Amino acid sequence: MSTPRVAAIHDMSGFGRCSLTVAIPILSAMGIQCCPLPTAFLSTHTGGFEGFAFLDMTDELPKVAAHWKSLGLCFQAVYSGFLGSERQIAIVEDFLREFRGPDTLAVIDPVMGDHGTVYQTYTPAMCAGMARLAELADVITPNLTEAALLLDIPYGELPVGEAGCREIVERLSLDGRRSVVLTGASTAPELTGAMCFDARTGQTEAVQTQRVPQEFHGTGDVFASVLTGALVQGASLPDAVRQAVDFVRACAERTARAGIPMREGVEFEPLLR
Ligand code: PXL
């Protein structure tokens, strides 16, 4: 069997371990060819840094898609995350329509914010567009902040606890047609992980691990990259979520022990093997 191929539509941030600097190494280590479509080039990510350089790549995306189409490329998965402008939403929608075959998996990480706050470069129109884009997904991977934005309810009014997380993923499933993996979902104070709704089975399941009592930047990107890799390898949704939860926990534990500043992301490199 040839090496599976994933189109990864995220930003490239030079420092801070997120998006493409996470997706490329993780997918490669999982034996998957990662073909990046950078949505923007930044000096750092926008969480915890000020004065970052930001080059919007919107105009390049359709040219990349057209060239790839002329080469007859196919992808086992299209995996999108942080977008650089409102116009990119329609471009990613077009990319999905162009490149989606009957077996192509569409994983959309609706990256918009964290800890109840929307990221600096996201406008309300971009958030509304992200919700529309996410309707095309087979699997979405929101955190709690993004779940509130997708449901169009204030962060403080999200349903809470294990029952609340179950309700959130079921409400986000588009009547059971879309799989939902809610990250940062916790069923007990000492635990964290994900709550997932699997559209293939109709089952909702919590996947939990011991909480590392510290926040880290970029864990959502590490999580969604491992999840995408495992799904492309043929894992079931709950098994892919388990792999992602366990890998993020291992990275978080190591990073906390090393005392690395939150904004530098998690030290996943030593654990890639
Ligand atoms: O981790 C999500 C993310 C991705 N890309 C950029 C970001 C963020 C979150 O802050 O700023 C550029």
Side-chain angles (χ1 to χ4, degrees):
M1 200 183 90
S2 60
T3 300
R5 190 185 290 145
V6 171
I9 313 177
H10 305 253
D11 68 285
M12 171 66 88
S13 289
F15 184 74
R17 295 190 185 92
C18 69
S19 32
L20 285 177
T21 62
V22 163
I24 296 170
I26 287 179
L27 289 168
S28 297
M30 295 179 85
I32 293 159
Q33 181 189 4
C34 180
C35 302
L37 259 91
T39 57
F41 173 70
L42 296 86
S43 48
T44 65
H45 59 71
T46 68
F49 293 98
E50 297 293 333
F52 46 83
F54 186 109
L55 176 66
D56 178 357
M57 304 281 267
T58 305
D59 290 338
E60 301 310 306
L61 296 182
K63 299 182 212 167
V64 175
H67 188 214
W68 285 0
K69 197 71 196 170
S70 77
L71 298 173
L73 298 186
C74 298
F75 298 97
Q76 274 68 41
V78 176
Y79 164 37
S80 75
F82 181 99
L83 300 183
S85 71
E86 190 186 334
R87 265 203 298 141
Q88 287 185 4
I89 288 150
I91 294 171
V92 178
E93 285 171 341
D94 287 346
F95 185 92
L96 269 170
R97 284 193 200 96
E98 277 291 320
F99 286 92
R100 196 173 205 170
D103 300 320
T104 306
L105 178 76
V107 180
I108 296 181
D109 187 1
V111 174
M112 291 183 278
D114 207 356
H115 308 112
T117 307
V118 176
Y119 295 136
Q120 295 180 55
T121 57
Y122 271 71
T123 62
M126 278 176 82
C127 294
M130 194 62 110
R132 203 182 68 225
L133 172 63
E135 288 182 16
L136 302 178
D138 296 304
V139 184
I140 59 170
T141 56
N143 60 30
L144 286 156
T145 305
E146 291 151 354
L149 289 164
L150 293 175
L151 291 170
D152 199 20
I153 56 176
Y155 181 66
E157 288 176 23
L158 276 177
V160 294
E162 177 167 359
C165 290
R166 284 181 185 274
E167 184 187 329
I168 291 168
V169 294
E170 283 160 19
R171 277 170 64 183
L172 284 173
S173 73
L174 305 177
D175 297 321
R177 284 177 281 123
R178 172 173 76 179
S179 292
V180 180
V181 181
L182 179 68
T183 62
S186 166
T187 61
E190 73 283 7
L191 301 177
T192 190
M195 180 68 77
C196 59
F197 171 81
D198 186 346
R200 289 218 172 131
T201 61
Q203 300 286 310
T204 300
E205 197 175 312
V207 179
Q208 299 284 285
T209 188
Q210 213 65 29
R211 179 188 292 279
V212 177
Q214 199 182 314
E215 297 294 339
F216 302 92
H217 195 273
T219 47
D221 299 336
V222 173
F223 183 98
S225 298
V226 175
L227 180 86
T228 301
L231 291 173
V232 168
Q233 287 173 343
S236 68
L237 188 74
D239 286 351
V241 172
R242 172 48 70 193
Q243 287 185 47
V245 165
D246 288 348
F247 189 69
V248 170
R249 181 196 143 78
C251 293
E253 220 168 21
R254 186 189 167 93
T255 306
R257 235 185 301 121
I260 290 163
M262 171 185 170
R263 68 184 192 175
E264 294 187 19
V266 287
E267 252 199 342
F268 63 87
E269 298 88 350
L271 300 172
L272 274 185
R273 276 166 221 281

